[in-house]
Amino acid sequence: MRSKFKWIFTLLLAFSMQVSFAQEKTVTGTVTEDGLPMPTVNVVNKNTKVNTQTDFDGKYSIKAKTGDVLVFSFVGYSDTNVTVGTSSVVNTVLKTDAQQLGEVVVTSQGIKKEKKALGYAVTTIKAEEFASKPSTDVVRALTGKAPGVNIQQTSGLSGSGTNIIIRGYSSITGSNQPLFVVDGVPFNSDTNSDGNFIEGATNASSRFLDLDPNNIESISILKGLSATTLYGSAGSKGVVLVTTKSGNTKELNKKMEVTVSQSLYMTEISALPDFQNKYGVGNNSEYRTTFGNWGPSFDTRGEGGIGYDGTVGHPYGIYGADVFPDIYNYDAAGKPTTVKNVAWKAQDNVKPFFRTGTVSTTSVNIGGRSEGTSYNLSVGNTDDNGFIENNRYRRLNLSTGGSTKLANGFTLSTVMNYVRTDKSAPPTGYGYGSGSVTPSTFATILYTPRSFDLFGLPYENPTDHSSVFYRKDITNPRWILKNSSDDEAVRRFYGNFTAMYDINSWSNVSYRLALDNYTQKKKYYINKGSNETPDGYLRTSFNENTVFDHTVSYNFNKELGAKGTWAWDGTVGVNSRQEAYDYTVLESFVQDIYGFNEHQNYVEHSGYSENQSFNIVGIYASTTLAYNKYLYLNLQGRKDYFSSLQKDNRSLFYPSASLSFVPTDAFTALKNNKWINYTKLRIGYGSSAGFPPAYQTSIGLRQATNAFLPSKGETINYLSPDSRLGNPDLKPELYKEVEFGLEAKFLDNRLGIDLSLYDKRSKDLIILRDLDPASGFSDRYDNIAEVSNKGIELGVSLGLIKSATPDGFQWNLSGTFTKNKNIVEDLGIGVEKIGIAGFTNLGNFAIPGRPYGVIMGSSIARDGNGNYIVGTDGNYVVDNELKEIGNPNPDWKSTVINEISYKNVTFGFQLEFQKGGDIYSNTANALLSRGVTEDTDFDRSGSYILPGVNPNGNINQVQIGATEFGFNNSGFFIDEQSVYDATNLRLREVSLSYSLPKKMLEKTPFGKMSISFTGQNLWFKAFNFPKHLNFDPEVMSLGVGNGQGFDYLTGPTSKRYGFSINLTF
Amino acid sequence: MFLAVTILSLSSCETFDLDQTENPSTLPQDKLDPVYAFNYVQVTLPDFVNSANSFTQRVTRQMAMTGGNTYENAFAGVNFNENWTTGYLILNAIKTMEPRAKTNNQNFILGASKVMRCYVLMTMVDMYGDIPYSEALMGTANLTPRYDGSADVYAGIYDELNQSIDLLNASLATSLPEELKGRDLYYGGEDGTESPTKWITVAKSLKLKMLNNARRVASSKIGSHDIAFEAADLISKNDLIDSKDEDFEFKYGRNRVNPNSRHPLYNDQYEFGGGAYIANYFIWALTQEKVTVDNSGSTTPVKDPREFYYIHRQATVSSSTSRQTVPCLDIAKPAHFNLDQYASFFSGRVPAPYCRVNTYLGRDHGDNSGIPNDNEIRAVAGLYPIGGIFKEAVGDTQNFGTDGALGEGIMPMLQTSYVHFIKAELYKTLLTNDALARSEFKMGVEASMDKVITFLPEYERDPTTLAHSLTITATPQQPITDAQTFYVNYVMDKFDDPNYDQLELIIKEYFLAAWGNGIEPYNSYRRTGFPSNFQPTFEDNPGPYYYTALYSDYSVNNNPNTPNSVRTRKVFWEEGLNLNLH
């Protein structure tokens, strides 16, 4: 009704204008950009100071006299001045302002701001950086692209977890993963694993994997606390803001547009070791069925256990003629006599274990708008088959979004997403170099003896399907691949509903309801017949995770004073969030019929369930005062209430403030300068809260049913106090950060820098601290620690070669540099160290004054002068007292991205370098101590003397043989010897893309068409690892979390290559 | 719109609720029923002993010390986390349920729990020396309890044992409550009527054990109690463990999974993959050390009837066994193994063991070299006490828990034979009565034999093994009693032979009888220095012995009151002893 009336009124006015010349009239028009209508453009009558904004369709109306000047302005665009003529219709096209660099970024609570107004660092990443890429995990595709953001995969398996840490670890025992916000909605990004790293937590996928990279418009990463304050405690570790195409309906063409993309990639293990083919299994040049390859050379004849004909007994002779009749010789009576022999030679037994997987992604996006309503529909399908059998990840994304502006001043918009993901992978339990505790695909495969014909011999016992191998105490890796699986199925719905009401042209009130709900079903099984789990095992779990989020906010944006000198905007809101979690697990033991994995086929069962939920209610306010568009002051604050703390301690208020100053706009001398095009200085202070996990102020009883079964009598159930102590005084922790930044463009915008320096500290940091059990309890949550992160983030862009024409030859370089110093400042009185991850005698620890997560383990014993002590047997003496043996934190990381384009061809490559950062590698110690790689191809008849002193302090002179030298000194016995510096350089990505010229497409239905060839992780070099291991240290065997710097043979990295085609019509 | 408003009003109230501090998925603390807590204490006690064993059996050469080749590197603070934690969690469970048990007048639970509390505490004092006692178990009120002197804690425990006896006596006044019948896993039987009196016997026997441990302290007192007087009094009152049904031990079940109720060493050695190595010294002391010497000077081992009950040979290991599985056969014996002091106590002609013991494959003290493919040939524990196999014939036990008595063993804590040996030691020393020392010594050996040979009577003995195992060279196929007699006569001859140290004989037989319990030999060794011929450490320079165990990393890292954790600290009853431990 109202808008209809407005049109009639306009029409009437138009008539009246003709009668009374130079009288005030109503001017109307449409503001567009590149053919698209632009909403919320400021329109000011320079003469009367009257102002208005364009509506959803880019239309406006304003009172003006002929000769008045209308100024159209919008962040990121040049102001356009138009003098009102006789016509009462003024249509204008806005142009982006290259000079102003008015990049618009999405900041917290979805507020869009001009980048220059921000007093803190925000990194925005555009769709082309992650859409249609080989990685189906959007976060993994961002690796190396944003300074200060450390992204690391747990392994190269399809669907494996991804760790993301922004500006270092700021909590010791709590989560350090950032908050994901998708279209304004908090989005659960947990990595849910039923088991710990010993069972292979690396297999669990991270729930941001549910996002379809092809349906994402842009990603903004808010790194500092001054940027994230409004998100409350959840944002204290940084915020990843994702805007999907479905949630961003404003920038759509009026015409319906359909985008189709199809990609096909191959995935392979990134590199296999270079295996030696000279020596076979054995010890001291004798053929023995050891794990190690210190046996005779393959040309040995008639000694060391090798026959004169170059054969040895069949390795499956240990199973007898009943199991493998074919491998025996028989006498005349048909009785088995001796076992047949097999050739003593090197085998190709590792490479066939791996395959080339295919990754196919199809995505269709339909969007358009009409009469105040816009819509978007998107469908994505991904089928990712990993580099090993039984590793598959499938995802279906359905997404729809729309927005409509009603006549009564309300704008309603909604986004709805449904995701179905199914993942299977073989189990990847912790491998310790002589096998594994739980089933593990990769624990032994890489050090399969060179002489063992893994693919020519059976992997299962023909009589009962159990595993067979050259020794009975290791499970055949092929058997594990065929007989076990670790599967996940996720069904997820998330979306939001937003209602906004425009109170007037400069303020509105909005309500948003957001829901993120998923169920995750997991199934882990292993058939009977392995060594680790001889009876078989089945575990299914069901996990439902729900986030309900309500936000009511009042937003305003108003110019103050004359000529737009002052501008004031702000928002005040209330946010309540409920996170609930419901978990049930059923375990079954003792498989009955081989190969059938349903609970009814198992003899013994046990179950567990829990549910928990907590609420966080926050009241927040934010305001920015701008002066002449070159000085901006932003103030924010939020107070949170947490439902799982005692009443007196459950709330915390935390403020933040930031200032941005643009000298190039402030001083006329700097304007239009050829050399210095733009500078901006910013300084910010931010703070945030952190809350403990739910229910830690009071702990219930420990309970066990069926705890013991006496030989006579009934099963015993028990109750006991929990080993964890409740802490009623627990209160929120406080994070504080000071940030300073400089952004600048030089040399006709050829060189750009974006530098941030920050200093972040935690106060009253909540940690799960160990207690002296003599207190009656083993641990409790406590506010006692302090951690600091100080760092530098630098982004540089350089137009190496610029062309005058858009399709000329261009070469752009961009780079990032990140250095972060992460120190554990304090652990509270009397606490010397806290285990963060890993084992209690080999893991990551927090030690006051030391970098976060230093690796502690056993070391080589040293005398008073620091010399290594060698025992009388000639080997180093181990010191089992825990010592610091490595620091997993890299010294710095850097990325260089090259983009070279000419006409319609673009070639790009991304190089990444990591300096320092230690990793404890079981791949290294197992392969070296087993003597399977070319690194161990040294003279095995020689003897060796270890440098060091004997226990009496004299120089060691004990000679040891090659076997002892290689086997005992490769880190297998002394943890310190397994720690390597992980400095590495890699070609993260290389791509070549071609988009068809518009001319060629004129006669086709297509608007755009492009094809890209992309490869990821095609080359890497870890300089300080033995050369022939070809080991890629970019793995995290402790899984997603706070553990880092451990490789426990839980899965190597992958490389991916292939192509994608994008069509728009 | 209407829908949205409905959803808003329904869900937002819920999201504003801020009082949610109780975990809905755990039982609240006020549900701690003393009967259920008593169950926890009963089934967790053997775990505590097992974790104590994992250290004490290794430094006393029952099991092989393989974690390092010196004392310095064989153990570290983390190795004691489990023992320290389990011990105090048991104590905390008892403490937490006590108020309610008092209100309910559950004197039996209070008394029996206190006996177990005292057992845990005395074991911790004996292992660690000073421990938190007066300020322990206070939770939030004191997270860093102080460490009380070991003598003070001993005095406290001694008084607590007296209190436990009072509580158990009080419980005799009323019949056992219904819910406890069949719930005393130690002495309950079907109706549990004998429970209180047997727990009283345990309490008194534990007092005697403490008195013996402390018998050499300068004050000659535990607290205000005169050691000699108390010991004589306890012995004269004669309410000490002296029959199999009074033995203080935890009886395991045979269920393999859900719950796995078997002896932990059976779990380790009878599933797949060999399990822990038995120390060569123990096998040697059992099978090789005692010899008869004939006129020509050649030696013949005295058969110990317990041999095949204690140890099972998966395969016969000889000098021709493949080096693939026994690499040490090719490595020369370290020179210091040949020193006289390590030879047999009974005959210098029997040298110290090395690499293997006759046909058994154990491991040497401090041999931390790599693990060869010997899973199916290592010696494993037998029927007693783990519920393993009893068979002289070889046969591997890597059959997923299907062999022998299926793990239905016991965790011995204080048995009839132990008490006899304790009494023998007291008579030999403090109470100075050699004749009674002799008879207690003999009863100790006999009680051990009897316990072992009649263990798990329902488990069928292979008659050929029985007969063969007891073969004594002189006369083939001697019946079992003859074998025992032969053995007992042998040790009694030595006891009566003035060339032998009677105390060392007592301790040596105690050492053999205590198979499966490392705590008693560890205490005896530090109290007496016997057996004096323990196999030396593989590395010739192993550093000082563990006069006490190391404190748990949890206490060292989190409690500034923890004393300096060095293994040369001493328990009060070790002070002033001049022993050359190695």
Side-chain angles (χ1 to χ4, degrees), chain B residues 129-161:
Chain B
D130 300 352
I131 59 165
Y133 178 68
S134 58
E135 292 183 359
L137 312 176
M138 292 168 78
T140 307
N142 189 350
L143 297 178
T144 56
R146 74 182 181 96
Y147 282 59
D148 296 279
S150 54
D152 297 337
V153 185
Y154 239 52
I157 299 167
Y158 200 84
D159 290 338
E160 285 197 54
L161 279 170

Side-chain angles (χ1 to χ4, degrees), chain A residues 287-290 410 412 470-473 497 499 511 513 530-532 534-535 548 550 574 576-578 589-590 604-606 609-617 641-647 650 695 697-703 706-712 714-723 725-726 728-729 769-778 780 782 829-834 840-841 871-873 877-882 951-952 967 973, chain B residues 1 4 7-8 11-12 14-29 31-33 36-37 39-40 43-44 67-70 72-78 81 84-85 88-89 92-93 96 132 135-140 142-145 147 183 185 250-259 261 271-273 323-324 327 330 368-376 400 408 458 538-541 550 552-560 562:
Chain A
Y287 165 67
R288 286 167 190 177
T289 53
T290 54
F410 277 99
L412 301 179
Y470 71 102
R471 49 188 281 176
K472 291 180 182 175
D473 55 353
F497 165 84
Y511 165 71
L513 165 68
S530 73
N531 276 311
E532 298 78 19
D535 305 331
F548 254 111
H550 303 267
V574 178
S576 76
R577 187 168 90 249
Q578 177 176 57
F589 315 89
V590 190
E604 297 283 348
H605 313 279
S606 94
S609 63
E610 69 173 336
N611 59 76
Q612 50 174 260
S613 110
F614 61 82
N615 294 333
I616 295 178
V617 175
Y641 297 82
F642 181 59
S643 66
S644 230
L645 287 175
Q646 299 295 325
K647 199 170 180 182
R650 72 189 176 198
Y695 316 127
T697 60
S698 156
I699 307 286
L701 295 175
R702 190 146 53 116
Q703 183 173 22
N706 204 16
F708 179 75
L709 178 60
S711 58
K712 293 177 196 113
E714 298 160 33
T715 56
I716 303 297
N717 305 331
Y718 68 67
L719 290 171
S720 74
D722 201 89
S723 61
L725 178 61
D729 301 326
R769 65 166 292 190
D770 291 333
L771 299 172
D772 184 342
S775 66
F777 301 87
S778 300
R780 79 163 189 181
D782 221 337
I829 298 159
V831 182
E832 291 185 2
K833 59 175 185 270
I834 285 177
T840 49
N841 58 355
T872 47
D873 60 353
V877 174
V878 58
D879 179 355
N880 280 325
E881 196 67 34
L882 280 190
N952 300 324
F967 179 65
F973 296 98
Chain B
M1 263 318 276
I7 294 171
L8 169 68
S11 57
S12 66
E14 206 181 294
T15 62
F16 275 92
D17 175 12
L18 288 172
D19 293 305
Q20 296 185 29
T21 52
E22 295 293 323
N23 188 340
S25 303
T26 53
L27 279 172
Q29 290 167 5
K31 297 280 184 205
L32 187 65
D33 182 331
Y36 276 79
N39 281 347
Y40 169 77
V43 300
T44 311
N69 55 0
T70 65
E72 182 67 33
N73 64 28
F75 298 93
V78 291
N81 287 351
W84 192 260
T85 306
Y88 278 106
L89 288 184
N92 196 45
T96 312
E135 292 183 359
L137 312 176
M138 292 168 78
T140 307
N142 189 350
L143 297 178
T144 56
Y147 282 59
R183 287 296 189 205
L185 295 173
F250 181 81
K251 296 171 184 68
Y252 287 98
R254 64 175 76 173
N255 206 52
R256 178 159 176 254
V257 281
N258 197 31
S261 300
E271 281 285 325
F272 73 97
R323 270 56 176 170
Q324 188 152 296
D330 270 349
N368 65 340
S369 60
I371 309 296
N373 193 358
D374 63 357
N375 289 315
E376 293 173 8
F400 309 113
E408 196 189 333
E458 60 276 29
F538 205 76
E539 179 66 45
D540 192 15
N541 216 334
L550 300 176
S552 153
D553 258 7
Y554 291 146
S555 54
V556 173
N557 292 339
N558 303 297
N559 188 349
T562 309

Side-chain angles (χ1 to χ4, degrees), chain A residues 47-63:
Chain A
N47 303 72
T48 63
K49 313 297 178 212
V50 173
N51 71 64
T52 185
Q53 280 193 329
T54 57
D55 69 8
F56 205 61
D57 299 315
K59 294 196 166 74
Y60 73 93
S61 76
I62 193 167
K63 283 187 175 165

Side-chain angles (χ1 to χ4, degrees), chain A residues 392-578:
Chain A
R392 187 176 190 193
Y393 167 68
R394 285 182 297 163
R395 178 177 64 212
L396 172 70
N397 292 81
L398 301 174
S399 175
T400 175
S403 172
T404 186
K405 182 159 184 165
L406 303 176
N408 56 11
F410 277 99
T411 304
L412 301 179
S413 56
T414 184
V415 186
M416 285 187 276
N417 298 276
Y418 176 77
V419 191
R420 188 186 76 193
T421 65
D422 291 280
K423 194 209 82 178
S424 57
T428 56
Y430 147 79
Y432 55 87
S434 299
S436 57
V437 184
T438 66
S440 178
T441 310
F442 301 106
T444 63
I445 177 66
L446 291 179
Y447 56 90
T448 304
R450 301 304 305 137
S451 42
F452 182 71
D453 187 10
L454 181 63
F455 285 84
L457 294 173
Y459 58 82
E460 68 171 13
N461 184 323
T463 59
D464 63 1
H465 300 287
S466 64
S467 160
V468 292
F469 208 29
Y470 71 102
R471 49 188 281 176
K472 291 180 182 175
D473 55 353
I474 320 179
T475 308
N476 190 314
R478 289 180 64 206
W479 189 94
I480 292 177
L481 210 49
K482 301 279 185 192
N483 285 282
S484 61
S485 196
D486 186 358
D487 303 341
E488 261 179 32
V490 173
R491 303 291 179 262
R492 183 170 196 162
F493 173 85
Y494 62 98
N496 70 64
F497 165 84
T498 309
M500 190 173 82
Y501 177 72
D502 289 325
I503 298 168
N504 50 36
S505 64
W506 53 272
S507 71
N508 64 49
V509 62
S510 81
Y511 165 71
R512 191 188 62 222
L513 165 68
L515 170 66
D516 175 15
N517 178 247
Y518 68 82
T519 61
Q520 175 170 340
K521 228 171 64 183
K522 301 190 83 166
K523 179 175 184 177
Y524 175 107
Y525 73 82
I526 179 154
N527 288 324
K528 59 181 177 183
S530 73
N531 276 311
E532 298 78 19
T533 318
D535 305 331
Y537 174 68
L538 170 65
R539 179 181 63 214
T540 56
S541 72
F542 185 83
N543 171 14
E544 180 172 14
N545 203 300
T546 310
V547 181
F548 254 111
D549 189 275
H550 303 267
T551 308
V552 177
S553 65
Y554 168 78
N555 313 291
F556 65 93
N557 185 351
K558 195 162 170 48
E559 299 237 331
L560 300 171
K563 296 177 187 175
T565 318
W566 292 93
W568 187 37
D569 68 50
T571 185
V572 179
V574 178
N575 167 245
S576 76
R577 187 168 90 249
Q578 177 176 57

